[in-house]
Amino acid sequence: MHISDFTAMLEAVAPHALAMEYDNVGLLIAPDHDEIKKVLVALDLTARVAEEAVTGGYDLVLTHHPIFWDPIKSISPNDPETAAAYKLIQGGVGHFAAHTNLDACSGGVNDVLADLLSLEDVRPLPPENLGRIGTLKAPIPFSELCRLCETVLHTKGRFVGDPSRTVGTVAVIGGAGGGDIEAVAEAGCDAFVTGEMKHSQALLAEHLGVACCVMGHYETEYPVLKPLISRLQNAKNDVQYDLTHTGCAPLYSL
């Protein structure tokens, strides 16, 4: 597949127009060749993932998080901000990022998260429409929602709210969604599942009466990767898409 065809395919899946203004998405590092045959898929472009891509003979790394956020003044293998980029450029491998556009698009991060929780009547969470709102099949104690989140996301969470209260309308935002707690409350949700939340945001959630499951940034976004691979593979089966073996959550519990 030509790199321009790959870019067009990703635009159809996660349109650039859905990305937030601050975001940096698209082809961030061009490969040194135009034909794409092997793509490595990961949440983050770390030095380990870059090494995996180079040694594995991949043409491109597709990630959720972009490698570049702020302007880069120099690229060095010893700088943690640019070490992965240095490896890719040295190996002729490209990097494509689909971030908040993949959060917001149909079948993206938050649709997958809502599906894992078996939410019904799923719709965008205003005003930014990155997150999703849905209803549980039947109202349940908040403690039961907590256990469900831990089961489907294969992790341990932290929680805000009375475990015995009944919840039915749930908002989901994968990753760092704590800043949207007021939007969640205004939308009439009684529970919120997200990846990260600051102390002050947890206090606000408690004050607003929104029960929260805080399940980890990586853990709430990682589930989109396999469905994304299947979607791309079905669209163009002349390209091999592989899920990284070296990418992993930087935070973990013992």
Side-chain angles (χ1 to χ4, degrees):
M1 181 194 302
H2 195 276
I3 185 64
S4 61
D5 294 328
F6 178 88
T7 300
M9 182 174 62
L10 263 293
E11 174 65 20
V13 170
H16 193 286
L18 295 179
M20 302 296 291
E21 289 185 5
Y22 64 80
D23 211 353
N24 188 24
V25 300
L27 187 63
L28 304 185
I29 298 176
D32 67 359
H33 51 282
D34 291 334
E35 286 300 313
I36 305 300
K37 296 180 180 179
K38 290 181 66 179
V39 176
L40 185 65
V41 182
L43 205 68
D44 302 290
L45 180 52
T46 63
R48 290 192 305 272
V49 170
E51 182 67 23
E52 180 184 359
V54 172
T55 59
Y58 290 91
D59 304 293
L60 195 74
V61 181
L62 170 61
T63 67
H64 181 45
H65 297 135
I67 188 172
F68 301 128
W69 289 98
D70 300 315
I72 299 296
K73 295 182 178 180
S74 64
I75 296 179
S76 165
N78 301 316
D79 184 340
E81 291 188 2
T82 62
Y86 186 95
K87 285 181 181 292
L88 289 193
I89 293 170
Q90 194 175 44
V93 180
H95 168 46
F96 191 102
H99 189 215
T100 50
N101 48 334
L102 187 61
D103 290 328
C105 73
S106 176
V109 168
N110 293 307
D111 277 341
V112 170
L113 190 52
D115 187 58
L116 285 173
L117 297 174
S118 300
L119 298 183
E120 300 178 339
D121 188 27
V122 176
R123 53 205 184 275
L125 171 68
E128 294 176 343
N129 296 328
L130 293 181
R132 297 293 187 266
I133 305 171
T135 55
L136 296 164
K137 291 180 179 179
I140 57 175
F142 178 54
S143 60
E144 190 173 328
L145 177 63
C146 297
R147 289 194 296 269
L148 174 63
C149 287
E150 291 186 327
T151 298
V152 300
L153 295 173
H154 310 289
T155 190
K156 295 292 184 182
R158 302 189 76 183
F159 310 103
V160 178
D162 181 355
S164 65
R165 69 171 293 186
T166 300
V167 297
T169 303
V170 181
V172 298
I173 298 180
D180 293 286
I181 188 64
E182 289 182 298
V184 170
E186 289 174 5
C189 302
D190 41 40
F192 182 32
V193 178
T194 190
E196 291 183 33
M197 184 170 289
K198 295 179 180 179
H199 179 80
S200 59
Q201 294 164 344
L203 291 174
L204 178 60
E206 192 174 50
H207 175 75
L208 294 174
V210 179
C212 299
C213 300
V214 186
M215 305 306 301
H217 194 124
Y218 191 97
E219 290 80 2
T220 53
E221 294 182 334
Y222 179 81
V224 77
L225 297 185
K226 287 184 179 179
L228 176 61
I229 288 174
S230 296
R231 190 172 179 180
L232 297 175
Q233 196 74 74
N234 289 335
K236 284 285 186 178
N237 58 17
D238 59 338
V239 176
Q240 176 183 329
Y241 297 91
D242 295 320
L243 185 62
T244 177
H245 295 296
T246 61
C248 60
L251 296 170
Y252 62 90
S253 299
L254 293 176

